[in-house]
Amino acid sequence: MTAALQLTRLLQLASPTLPVGAYTYSQGLEWAVECGVIRDEASCARWITDLLTHGIGRYEAPLVAALMRAWQADTDEALLRLNDDFLASRESAELRAETVQMGFSLHRLVRDLRDPGLSTVEARLAALATPAFPTGWAGMAAAWQIDPADALTAYLWSWAENQVMAALKAVPLGQASGQRLLAELGGLIPSVTVDALSLPESAWSNFTPGFAIACARHETQYSRLFRS
């Protein structure tokens, strides 16, 4: 696979048009808006930046890198363990439902793309009782021979973009605010990626109690735009 083709495949994986329904989830951000923790561009930047550097960057990102290694090594035991670890790490019912739904949709996409290079990914996902979204995403990235650093950068960018899009609707924020937020987050993602690639599993941590509370409180929020 040429470098140019790898890039186009990576852009496809990171695109908001990927039909997994990511745009319907805010991951607790909507509740943070409802209770006043997020009220403007500055407070939104603090919330998403903290979650990027202390949460997803220290758990989900290194887990995606480990999943890519498991896919490349063809080790089902490691794949199953990492998939189950991620499911167990979801602190609220909505967060778990999110990764299960998105994982299901991504598995269906793997089948519908009819790409012979993804046939092994489809089969190994089918062997998992409940494939989580990062598991399927890492499998596609590995099958398309995407460099792990590039894959993590795109994965984090896609997450950050979805958070900003949710903020544009829920706060609400203007388009210029959204672009400033993305520029700020984009400047942080390279260092978060480097750290995630070298972080040993014993140091992984998703200890973000404010995030967990927001996700749990969202489940009983009266008026909602998003599913999490």
Side-chain angles (χ1 to χ4, degrees):
M1 185 174 290
T2 66
L5 182 55
Q6 288 172 339
L7 176 58
T8 62
R9 292 289 185 258
L10 183 57
L11 292 172
Q12 183 176 0
L13 276 176
S15 171
T17 64
L18 198 70
V20 295
Y23 68 93
T24 65
Y25 299 100
S26 81
Q27 297 192 342
L29 183 144
E30 187 175 26
W31 183 81
V33 174
E34 175 74 13
C35 71
V37 172
I38 296 177
R39 57 195 175 277
D40 53 23
E41 181 181 334
S43 55
C44 184
R46 284 194 299 272
W47 178 272
I48 302 177
T49 297
D50 284 350
L51 191 52
L52 172 65
T53 54
H54 300 299
I56 188 172
R58 295 191 60 81
Y59 183 75
E60 194 167 337
L63 180 133
V64 169
L67 281 166
M68 287 189 68
R69 291 192 292 271
W71 280 104
Q72 291 163 343
D74 199 23
T75 52
D76 288 333
E77 183 178 350
L79 199 65
L80 175 62
R81 179 182 64 81
L82 290 166
N83 183 78
D84 287 351
D85 284 352
F86 186 73
L87 289 173
S89 75
R90 303 300 84 192
E91 297 98 333
S92 72
E94 285 185 350
L95 272 183
R96 190 181 192 281
E98 174 185 334
T99 197
V100 169
Q101 179 271 304
M102 290 174 62
F104 173 84
S105 297
L106 196 65
H107 185 195
R108 183 172 58 189
L109 176 64
V110 169
R111 180 197 65 208
D112 292 345
L113 284 174
R114 302 173 187 172
D115 181 348
L118 296 176
S119 59
T120 300
V121 177
E122 181 185 356
R124 292 177 71 187
L125 286 175
L128 297 174
T130 310
F133 174 70
T135 305
W137 198 97
M140 293 181 72
W144 282 338
Q145 302 171 26
I146 295 169
D147 178 78
D150 293 340
L152 273 193
T153 299
Y155 187 91
L156 291 171
W157 172 262
S158 181
W159 173 86
E161 186 176 37
N162 197 67
Q163 286 284 285
V164 170
M165 289 171 64
L168 292 180
K169 299 173 185 176
V171 176
L173 296 177
Q175 294 295 327
S177 291
Q179 290 303 308
R180 284 192 294 269
L181 286 169
L182 285 173
E184 182 177 344
L185 293 164
L188 295 172
I189 285 174
S191 62
V192 173
T193 295
V194 170
D195 291 343
L197 286 169
S198 60
L199 194 68
E201 190 168 348
S202 59
W204 295 3
S205 173
N206 68 331
F207 182 67
T208 48
F211 170 67
I213 291 169
C215 292
R217 296 294 290 271
H218 185 270
E219 293 176 358
T220 56
Q221 187 172 321
Y222 175 70
S223 177
R224 298 182 294 175
L225 293 172
F226 298 95
R227 297 169 68 183
S228 72

